[in-house]
Amino acid sequence: MLSRAAFRWMARGCAASAVLILFGCSSSPKPYALVAQLPPLSQQARIVAATIDVRGPVCSVRIVTLDAARAWAPVCLVQKDQPTYKSFSIGGQKVDFGAVGNGFKVLSSTLPTLPAPLSSAASAATGAAAVKAKAATATQAPTATSAPVAQVAAPGFPEQWNLSPYPGHVKLQGQNRGFLVTSAVLTIHGSMGILDVTYKTSYKPLHLKCTVIANQKGDLTLLFNPSKSVNLTGGGNYNVLLSSEGESISGNIWDSHGFDTWTPSLPPQWVAVSYSSD
């Protein structure tokens, strides 16, 4: 993603042309991201978010699952990168993508294997799916015997992917923090974001990772792992939208939609204090 300010800065430093729009000031292709199309957690195994950042010959894969402490980030290498065909080596395995509609579909018959769940019990006890399942079964009468817990298979590698702008490298600071928050910083490195928050009271500091998805308008969607953020959201929405409001005297501004439901709530407005497209 190129912010409005960054784009204007590039335009002043480069010759204005169609090449500028596509590639910036160099001959290297503009970075982009592939974002997996996933059904809601209640309808699929356990993948929260999956992204592939592509920056010229370099790519990085990040797949977040409910029951893993860390995102799955296998080694990724770009083998071919064309407008309608892409080929990557992901975890040592060749994966081909072909353009379908506005996105890409995996063409490979054999796909990388994601790590297996820690345990079926852990899978059932984490995230939004578990919250929903608990609510659905709360009114059921207890049975004399418990059914055996089904084993949870490792989720398959996503097959449908959308093409999205590359979020870039951005450092955002929360504004209008209120009386509880002493500092709030969101550091974005491509499709990964890190939220660091400190409080005046006895609340523990936050250090939460999230997946960042950008759009052509400059908006940013933050996808937090519900198994990590459940205490803040009460089991509610774990996605937060940062809506781009353009430039102000203090810099580029984003309004947050979702942080107001967290406990404690986080700043409603965020300003970029640094930015790099790569």
Side-chain angles (χ1 to χ4, degrees), residues 180-202:
L180 286 180
V181 177
T182 57
S183 67
V185 176
L186 176 64
T187 306
I188 296 173
H189 296 293
S191 294
M192 185 186 76
I194 302 175
L195 177 67
D196 288 295
V197 181
T198 58
Y199 302 95
K200 297 178 183 177
T201 60
S202 57

Side-chain angles (χ1 to χ4, degrees), residues 125-249:
T126 55
V131 174
K132 183 175 181 178
K134 182 178 180 180
T137 58
T139 58
Q140 294 181 359
T143 57
T145 59
S146 298
V149 178
Q151 295 298 316
V152 179
F157 188 85
E159 296 188 11
Q160 300 284 344
W161 299 73
N162 291 326
L163 185 65
S164 297
Y166 180 67
H169 299 267
V170 191
K171 184 176 181 180
L172 303 177
Q173 285 187 347
Q175 309 295 300
N176 308 317
R177 297 188 300 269
F179 66 93
L180 286 180
V181 177
T182 57
S183 67
V185 176
L186 176 64
T187 306
I188 296 173
H189 296 293
S191 294
M192 185 186 76
I194 302 175
L195 177 67
D196 288 295
V197 181
T198 58
Y199 302 95
K200 297 178 183 177
T201 60
S202 57
Y203 287 105
K204 293 182 179 179
L206 296 183
H207 182 75
L208 287 177
K209 292 183 179 180
C210 62
T211 297
V212 182
I213 300 173
N215 65 18
Q216 298 292 346
K217 297 179 181 179
D219 302 333
L220 302 172
T221 299
L222 313 179
L223 282 71
F224 292 88
N225 192 330
S227 67
K228 307 295 182 183
S229 61
V230 63
N231 291 334
L232 299 165
T233 64
N237 190 5
Y238 53 92
N239 296 345
V240 174
L241 173 65
L242 296 184
S243 179
S244 176
E245 299 299 327
E247 287 187 275
S248 71
I249 296 176

Side-chain angles (χ1 to χ4, degrees), residues 8 20 41 55 58 100 111 125 138 142 154 162 174 177-178 181 241 277:
R8 279 193 283 270
L20 168 64
L41 283 172
R55 295 167 291 127
V58 179
V100 176
L111 299 177
N162 291 326
R177 297 188 300 269
V181 177
L241 173 65
S277 62

